[in-house]
């Protein structure tokens, strides 16, 4: 099986729901499987530490997950037009993987959620791509052949799936957002499968 790492950070649950939909899309591609992971919170108190295992949701990511995956879907809520600090903190710890070229040539996609409709979703997606490009990954977007990109009135971009969660984080994922998450996961997995086949032939 070709395994795709779906790595996310979520505070109110919307990004986690998107990760689960992307995982469903990955698993719809024959020969692909999913490894769902998250990152721990960071604290302004230096002595504060998280438990080794989260209370709920996916396990915390380990650097070996980057080595073992054939592709990556990366998700974070929008924080002032950028990824959340816990996700940035994780990527800042991947210097050894960058030096080793662990992720070079692997496909990657990005996804986000925000409290406001024009709250920086696209800039978050674009800036999330930057560390992936430094790692030599191949960025996979969402083409306009996905009809939901033309009909959505909430989230959804060609740069990656997005969700408008509302200022109270109580907006459900719309049908279009759901379709785009699943389509993104499937497309990422299909590309990873093709690349894996080419490497082995």
């Amino acid at each position: 099986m070709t395994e795709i790492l779906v790595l996310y950070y979520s505070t109110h649950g919307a990004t986690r729901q998107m990760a689960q939909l992307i995982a469903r899309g990955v698993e719809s591609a024959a020969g692909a499987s999913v490894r769902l992971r998250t990152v721990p919170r960071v604290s302004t108190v230096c002595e504060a530490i998280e438990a080794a295992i989260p209370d709920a949701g996916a396990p915390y990511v380990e650097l070996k997950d980057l080595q073992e995956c054939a592709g990556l879907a990366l998700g974070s809520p929008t924080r002032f037009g950028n990824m959340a600090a816990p996700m940035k903190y994780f990527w800042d710890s991947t210097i050894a993987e960058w030096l080793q070229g662990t992720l070079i040539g692997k496909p990657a996609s990005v996804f986000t959620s925000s409290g406001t409709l024009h709250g920086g979703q696209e800039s978050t997606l674009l800036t999330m791509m930057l560390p992936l490009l430094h790692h030599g990954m191949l960025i996979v977007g969402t083409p306009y052949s996905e009809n939901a990109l033309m009909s959505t009135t909430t989230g959804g971009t060609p740069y990656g799936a997005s969700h408008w969660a509302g200022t109270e984080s109580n907006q459900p994922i719309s049908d279009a957002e759901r379709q785009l998450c699943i389509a993104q996961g499937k497309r990422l997995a299909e590309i990873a499968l093709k690349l894996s086949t080419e490497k082995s032939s």
Side-chain angles (χ1 to χ4, degrees), residues 57-94:
Y60 291 134
V61 68
E62 298 179 41
L63 294 175
K64 70 174 185 176
D65 295 321
L66 300 180
Q67 297 161 9
E68 294 171 358
C69 74
L72 168 70
L74 181 66
S76 169
T78 291
R79 295 289 183 266
F80 301 107
N82 209 326
M83 74 178 87
M87 187 59 76
K88 177 68 165 59
Y89 185 84
F90 169 74
W91 285 102
D92 286 349
S93 74
T94 62

Side-chain angles (χ1 to χ4, degrees), residues 40 49-55 58-62:
I49 59 168
E50 290 283 346
I53 300 171
D55 292 334
Y60 291 134
V61 68
E62 298 179 41

Side-chain angles (χ1 to χ4, degrees), residues 59-184:
Y60 291 134
V61 68
E62 298 179 41
L63 294 175
K64 70 174 185 176
D65 295 321
L66 300 180
Q67 297 161 9
E68 294 171 358
C69 74
L72 168 70
L74 181 66
S76 169
T78 291
R79 295 289 183 266
F80 301 107
N82 209 326
M83 74 178 87
M87 187 59 76
K88 177 68 165 59
Y89 185 84
F90 169 74
W91 285 102
D92 286 349
S93 74
T94 62
I95 300 298
E97 286 64 38
W98 173 70
L99 288 168
Q100 293 164 14
T102 298
L103 293 170
I104 290 174
K106 296 181 181 182
S109 66
V110 291
F111 58 100
T112 192
S113 62
S114 65
T116 55
L117 187 54
H118 301 289
Q121 290 183 355
E122 292 185 347
S123 63
T124 298
L125 294 169
L126 290 168
T127 53
M128 285 172 69
M129 293 177 189
L130 297 179
L132 307 184
L133 288 166
H134 277 265
H135 273 280
M137 300 196 83
L138 310 173
I139 303 300
V140 175
T142 303
Y144 277 93
S145 55
E146 293 298 332
N147 294 330
L149 267 185
M150 297 298 286
S151 63
T152 182
T153 56
T154 54
T157 81
Y159 313 117
S162 66
H163 166 57
W164 172 36
T167 54
E168 301 296 322
S169 299
N170 58 1
Q171 286 274 92
I173 293 177
S174 70
D175 287 343
E177 291 170 342
R178 182 182 308 277
Q179 290 172 35
L180 291 168
C181 285
I182 293 170
Q184 180 171 321

